[in-house]
Amino acid sequence: MDRRTFLASGSAAAVAATLPGTAFGQGTSDATLRTLLDRIFYDRLNDNPESATQLGLDTGERAGLRSRLSDESLASRARDLTRAKAERASLQAIPRASLSPAARLDYDIVDYQLGRAIGGGETFTYGASSGRFAPYVLTQLTGPYRDVPDFLDSQHRIATAADADAYLSRLSAFPNAIDDSVAAQRADAARGVFAPDYILDTSLKQLAAIRDQPAASTVPVVSLARKLKEAGLPDDRVAKATAIVEREVFPALDRQRALVTELRAKASHDAGCWRLPDGDAYYAAAVEAATTVAMTGDAVHKLGLAQVAEISARIDGILKKQGMTQGTVGERLVALNKRPDQLYPNTDPGRDQLLAQLNTQIKAMQARLPEQFAVLPKAPVEVRRVPPSIQAGAPGGYYQAATLDGSRPGIYFINLRDTFDRPKFGLATLTHHEAVPGHHLQVMAALESDTIPLIRRRGFFSGYSEGWALYTEQLADEMGMYDGDPLGQVGYLQSLLFRATRLVVDSGMHSKRWSREKATDFLIATTGIARGRSQGEIDRYTVWPGQACSYKIGHTKWVELRDAAKAKAGAKWDAREFHRVLALGAMPLTVLERVVRNGGVA
């Protein structure tokens, strides 16, 4: 699932053959483009069954997808590239000038995505380079060993016997997915491409957490038992699932663990992708893929240092007013994080209290959304804890979109492995980022649209989406959500500081050859974020180079465009009208700038 994005994957080899050759002459209509884009979307959906389930589209004629998992084999990489080329050829056969402005926007965005996918796939033949750049097949964040159990638990719905049988079919396909990822990682390892030692250490811990327990206690079996009970179905399939895990999944996990152990014995401790084949070029491409802006590692580093200085000065002023005057900003933030009044107990009751607080924050912001937004999501959003089985390597928080059929809400996951990593003063801004008005509002504004093509409703650009979420943290402050709560405002500014610091440490590791330890110490000293969480962040940047840069670069662009539009509108400024741009779907920042400055679709 993480190895490639939905757009970069897929099976559209037949697109050119199935569309009439006469459809691409002068005067091609918007309908022809929409037909092409929809065919590409549904053709790809057939190759990405997990996405079909996530969207609630594994029904009717596509019900068979509910029994399958995606192809993780080496051969699929070559097919993806071939298909992307065929798709782009079909797209570019349509005369762009014949399209309406709205259709030209669809055309430009999809053409951009296909171009990036093809360029990455042709240039870099290891790991993932067609969507999010991820050089290593197996890490604490990538690989079917961690994705499939979580997917079966959180996404695969069971209401009927057929759903339950489909679950068993997917479980039976799990060992093959593991073996395919082993083969892919082994092939990359032959070229010296595998994760650093500390990443493999965490991966081994996660493999042990899955493997070193009775089959009946594993997430896939326990989840199936629960879902059968909730659906009122007999539990005889639980024994079948247990047998599959014991006889097929466990041996596959043993083979994977043997490979990871083998790689760990010869792994480097170097954090950056500079050590990989064409590593410097890989990082530059990774930054551009994530941000949709071309920047050198040195430029990213300098921007980060400048923004760190500016935001630190703002935090310094607030802390001094709170009587916190001793030490650096980072040291004072560490001290604030340690205060008992800022911590929930690191117990299950304490975690329940924390989750309840997040739900309260969501409700408070939802009541204020009409002040800024004319388009609101129909789907609800709820908070859930990151499953303990994957929390050791999972990000601190992330969002999962609701289904199109309304069968599952949007979900804001928060990692609660240690509540010390989540002090009270920073919780509200995380809620604004992951839920409303951040990811949930932005993602669902596009996904629930009935005007843009499905392939774009599902589109993702990290610079746009993560930049938006960070922009909404600032928007919450501007809306007065921290009035009378100076520590809450410190939490918001710490979040901005954290994202600016990411620019420094990400480019530090991958461009300036910083060690893991130097990057971690810089992050802690600058932001005051707890060591456990900081270490997890640095390890994430190790395996997803460039992705961490998308937040602050995207935020900077969103604020720049909003402020320019506001100045241009003067007394006629209406924030709700500006925010309607979300309904046009995600897009590269360069295209967003063109759209906003032209006052609409370009």
Side-chain angles (χ1 to χ4, degrees), residues 16-335:
T18 57
L19 290 174
T22 57
F24 304 126
Q26 287 296 319
T28 298
S29 68
D30 291 8
T32 301
L33 176 65
R34 176 62 69 93
T35 298
L36 172 62
L37 296 184
D38 285 349
R39 289 189 184 185
I40 291 174
F41 175 84
Y42 284 113
D43 201 24
R44 288 176 174 175
L45 203 66
N46 290 332
D47 249 18
N48 201 314
E50 293 92 337
S51 286
T53 295
Q54 289 168 346
L55 292 169
L57 295 177
D58 56 352
T59 59
E61 64 184 86
R62 288 179 290 275
L65 295 176
R66 207 177 314 160
S67 302
R68 294 169 43 204
L69 297 175
S70 295
D71 186 350
E72 300 288 341
S73 69
L74 279 169
S76 69
R77 294 186 189 178
R79 288 198 301 270
D80 290 344
L81 181 59
T82 299
R83 290 161 184 166
K85 290 179 178 179
E87 291 167 351
R88 198 178 194 204
S90 295
L91 179 70
Q92 293 185 341
I94 300 175
R96 183 181 180 279
S98 70
L99 301 171
S100 69
R104 285 199 297 271
L105 182 63
D106 295 334
Y107 180 104
D108 291 347
I109 292 170
V110 174
D111 185 60
Y112 177 94
Q113 289 177 288
L114 290 170
R116 294 297 309 175
I118 294 166
E122 288 182 328
T123 306
F124 308 104
T125 55
Y126 54 84
S129 56
S130 57
R132 171 189 289 158
F133 275 50
Y136 315 116
V137 175
L138 297 176
T139 71
Q140 84 283 18
L141 289 174
T142 53
Y145 84 95
R146 69 176 300 283
D147 293 341
V148 172
D150 182 44
F151 167 77
L152 290 174
D153 181 39
S154 65
Q155 300 285 330
H156 188 108
R157 299 176 296 281
I158 294 180
T160 67
D163 296 337
D165 289 338
Y167 187 105
L168 288 177
S169 293
R170 276 179 159 159
L171 188 58
S172 294
F174 184 24
N176 187 64
I178 295 171
D179 286 338
D180 281 345
S181 67
V182 166
Q185 179 60 89
R186 193 176 291 281
D188 285 354
R191 302 171 59 193
V193 181
F194 53 97
D197 53 11
Y198 57 91
I199 296 298
L200 297 178
D201 285 339
T202 303
S203 302
L204 286 169
K205 288 178 183 177
Q206 293 188 165
L207 279 163
I210 297 169
R211 172 63 179 88
D212 295 344
Q213 59 181 317
S217 300
T218 59
V219 168
V221 177
V222 172
S223 178
L224 175 62
R226 185 188 73 250
K227 292 179 180 184
L228 290 173
K229 183 177 180 180
E230 292 171 351
L233 294 170
D235 63 1
D236 56 306
R237 292 178 180 83
V238 175
K240 295 179 182 178
T242 304
I244 292 170
V245 171
E246 182 70 48
R247 300 170 188 171
E248 301 173 40
V249 175
F250 277 177
L253 289 172
D254 288 340
R255 292 189 288 273
Q256 183 154 102
R257 182 151 63 171
L259 172 62
V260 176
T261 301
E262 173 191 330
L263 296 178
R264 173 62 181 84
K266 52 188 177 183
S268 166
H269 191 67
D270 292 327
C273 63
W274 54 264
R275 65 183 177 85
L276 305 178
D278 297 320
D280 290 335
Y282 187 93
Y283 181 60
V287 170
E288 185 169 1
T291 65
T292 63
V293 175
M295 293 182 70
T296 65
D298 190 56
V300 171
H301 203 73
K302 288 178 179 177
L303 176 63
L305 289 172
Q307 294 202 355
V308 163
E310 186 269 328
I311 300 166
S312 295
R314 294 174 65 187
I315 296 174
D316 179 55
I318 299 174
L319 291 178
K320 284 178 177 176
K321 290 180 181 179
Q322 296 302 302
M324 301 181 70
T325 60
Q326 301 300 311
T328 65
V329 167
E331 288 168 344
R332 280 175 279 167
L333 288 171
V334 169

Side-chain angles (χ1 to χ4, degrees), residues 53-54 154-155 157 384 400-403 405-411:
T53 295
Q54 289 168 346
S154 65
Q155 300 285 330
R157 299 176 296 281
R384 295 184 189 175
Q400 192 175 84
T403 55
D405 62 3
S407 59
R408 181 178 46 72
I411 303 169

Side-chain angles (χ1 to χ4, degrees), residues 304-317 329 492-501 552 555:
L305 289 172
Q307 294 202 355
V308 163
E310 186 269 328
I311 300 166
S312 295
R314 294 174 65 187
I315 296 174
D316 179 55
V329 167
Y492 148 63
L493 290 172
Q494 185 190 38
S495 178
L496 285 187
L497 178 62
F498 170 42
R499 273 37 179 259
T501 305
K552 201 64 181 67
H555 165 256

